[in-house]
Amino acid sequence: MVVPSNHPMIELRRLFRFYGKTKAVNDVSFHVNAGQVFGFIGPNGAGKTTTMRILATLDTPDYGDALIDGFSVINDPDRVRRRMGFMPDDYGTYPNMNCLEYLDFFARSYGLVGRERMKAIRYTLGYTGLDKIAEKSIQGLSKGMRQRLCLGRAMIHRPAVLILDEPANGLDPRARIELRQMVLGLAAEGTSLLISSHILSELGEMCDSLGIIERGCMIVSGTVQEIQSRLMPHTNLKMKVIEQQQKLVEWLSVQDGVDAVAVDGTMVRCQILGAKSDREQAALLRAIVHEGFDVIEFSTEGQTLEDVFMRITTGAVQ
Amino acid sequence: MSQGTTPPPLERQKALIERFTEASSQGWQQVWDWWSERSNPIVVKEARQSLNSNQFVICFGITLVAVLIWTMFSVFSQLPNAYYLPGGLLVLTGYFVILSFPLILVIPFTAYRSMMLEAESRTFELVSISGLSAKQIVQGKMSSACLQIAIYLSTMLPCIVITYLLRGISVSTILIYLYFMVIASVVLSAISIMIATVSRQRFLQVFSNLFILGMQLVLFYVVCAATIAFVYSFPMMSWVNAPVLISIGTIVLTTVPLCMQCSAAAIDFPSENHAVAIRSRFLVWIGTIFFWCAWVVVTTETAGHWVWIYSVLLAIFLVVGALGVSERGVLSPRAQRALPRTLLGQCTLTWFYPGAGLAYVFFTSVFASVVIGVIGFAYAFPLYSAAYQQEEETIAIGVAALCYFMLYTGLTRLIMMTVPRHIVGRPFLGLLMQAFLFALVPLLPYLVLLSLNDFRSFSYGWHQFLFVTWTISELDSGGFSSVNAGALVLLAALSGVVFLINLLMCGRDVLLLRVEVPPRVQQELASSRTPEAPVESVFD
Ligand SMILES: Nc1ncnc2c1ncn2[C@@H]1O[C@H](COP(=O)(O)OP(=O)(O)OP(=O)(O)O)[C@@H](O)[C@H]1O
Ligand SMILES: [Mg+2]
């Protein structure tokens, strides 16, 4: 059951976790509100799984605390577990069981009984598309099918917080799109989600905010736009005009804040200092049109999350 | 989502989903629904898995075939005489030997493997973060073992009734053997589950696998041999031996909850307080054992029994104490929420709370109460004392055993304080340390004296006070001679010092105050207390 509340649904307070000399998690803090999706990005070995396992009460931090719906994962893991669903990146399944029996077991283990249990199973099967293979033995499932089953298991008790460790791993392109829709649907219902992934463009599309972690440290976090503007000092604009390209270049080059302008056939590329909001871009377009140029295309380019990610991570492993 | 594999016929899928998700009107289905919703989800899951797996079917098949073959063989071989010679004995022996295969070997080992497999195949983590508590997981594993016992028994029952009809054996004999077999199976399963939970680390698994296999094979042999021997020696065993049956029954009954609590503690999250439950169960367990020991002394009117009773108690306490003082348990903020409120409570009950130092004081107090109890008993019932020729020795041996426990366990505790907390298998390290101290420390003065004495044997003296067995046997034979008294005083002084050091070290824990429950938890507790209006289903 998703109950809206006034405190963050996920809150990390100065979390540390060391394995010997390896600082797997080194002072990580952030919070996720109800109905928000937080994307957790980082290169291999950055500490994503470690952080998520601590949140899922499978590991304990060396220092700091994390709260799920206001309950400490250290001191009230039992209460946390009732409110949270966790999909690990690496997990085992039972032999001699089919998908339906598997989900039934977990539904029972969350204390769902009678009609409530039956509905939960049917809803989950439908939601994850497992109803067509309900009878299949788990050991015979493909990787993607197992991912779906694991996701179904994590959400069978309709937790207020879902923690998904690389959920898109092993899914086919179509299933990835469906996963995105599922995530957005769950968030719209009020579920808070924490999702880790390597596929950045995908995270950008479904997350409200992002955190980039490397070598245990959170390098940057905030909304997608905040990160882009903080880390990309330029706004690159691309416009297509029917004629008078050269004149547009001249006009643009005397405008405030314009760093560089270049012409490329019918295209004019322009780099402006600082991140420009949509409103500022609209104002610029209005000015260009007002000057009498026939603009047929106007867009920003080259600011994908991949660029940000490649810029700020070094790829160093510890 | 898309589908990547060829689906089985859609109708079948639909029927299957319906079977799971519709309340059925059929009688047996209703019974199953009713039963399964009220029993532990793990039992339901394992029952389903067993039905789908070959292992259960094969074991069950082997047992059934063995029973059939044995029945036919014994009946046909006795056929000409069956009408006038009682033949039940031979048949029954065979049945019990066959029954001990599933009950002693298969069921405990299955319980052990099923717990171990959860850790090995990485399914355990998912179960542990589900709504099931650690206690429910252990209860589930235990209940599925009990369910299997019930299944095997119910299939064997008709055969066993036949043996009664063949005469030569009384109902009580049959029942007594069934009783022994069942409690052996139950307690073995509990112990197997406990061993599986405490040795989930890979490097421990090799040892625990060997241990379990060895233990079960030896026990299987012993049970088979004992069955054959006993059924032939006491075929008309009657209820006269009721105290024996009750004592074994009560000791087993108190062992099983203790093992289950230890298993739950081993798999639960670290901040949970299991110490109170484990120590109170231990108290009941050791109380039961002590009661029956005292019962032996009183009914036989022989105080000499106290020597072996103290030895057994010392051995139990040394092992349990070593495990207790080497666990990494700390008084987590969660455990501190339930600390006693009053000063009196703090002084008397804090010893039940997590922490190695507190465990040490707890076990010492329990052992001391036992010794004081025995001394008090001897003085309070002079009637019995008339029969006691060795009152003095009894007291001396009790005090010596207590001092040895305090000394060695206290030293183990002090050494274990230097071992880092996060090291896995700390209890095993503590056990090794205890064994090491116990075996090697007394050797030191012994070897020194031996070399001073030109390697000729010498008699006991105060300098050998660390030597447990020697001291106890000297006290047993010599009582309070001046030499023995000297050794005892030295021992008491040294162990007293060790005890005091330990007591001071855990002073901080005793002074800890109860912490308030966090506001968020209070809020939840308050809302769960007020009855909620029925919620609309979220799945609609
Ligand atoms: N049980 C462990 N023992 C020792 N070191 C560990 C353990 N678990 C994780 N680490 C170390 O902690 C660091 C963070 O690991 P983690 O699994 O959290 O990374 P990740 O961000 O999930 O990486 P990936 O993208 O590859 O899944 C790594 O350097 C890893 O070697
Ligand atoms: Mg990972």
Side-chain angles (χ1 to χ4, degrees), chain A residues 43-50 52 89-90 165-166 196 198:
Chain A
N44 289 130
K48 304 182 293 292
T49 300
T50 311
M52 290 180 142
D89 61 342
D90 181 21
D165 197 356
E166 291 174 31
S196 83
H198 299 121

Side-chain angles (χ1 to χ4, degrees), chain A residues 74 90 104 117 148 178, chain B residues 1 37 48 122 271 524:
Chain A
I74 303 174
D90 181 21
D104 184 57
R117 188 187 88 236
R148 289 164 191 233
E178 281 167 355
Chain B
M1 285 195 182
E37 295 223 313
R48 279 191 178 133
R122 311 208 52 187
S271 64
E524 197 212 36

Side-chain angles (χ1 to χ4, degrees), chain A residues 214-265:
Chain A
E214 187 175 32
R215 287 201 276 175
C217 302
M218 185 72 98
I219 307 178
V220 57
S221 69
T223 64
V224 177
Q225 265 179 1
E226 272 169 21
I227 292 182
Q228 280 173 336
S229 58
R230 184 133 35 107
L231 296 164
M232 280 289 166
H234 296 112
T235 310
N236 290 324
L237 293 174
K238 186 172 81 171
M239 49 207 101
K240 194 169 177 182
V241 282
I242 299 177
E243 48 203 6
Q244 294 184 305
Q245 285 89 1
Q246 208 51 49
K247 202 167 159 207
L248 177 60
V249 170
E250 282 161 22
W251 183 84
L252 277 174
S253 56
V254 295
Q255 299 302 310
D256 252 4
V258 173
D259 208 20
V261 194
V263 65
D264 173 15

Side-chain angles (χ1 to χ4, degrees), chain B residues 41-55:
Chain B
I42 294 200
V43 181
V44 178
K45 184 206 81 173
E46 303 220 326
R48 279 191 178 133
Q49 274 182 296
S50 304
L51 291 180
N52 290 344
S53 80
N54 295 331
Q55 189 209 348

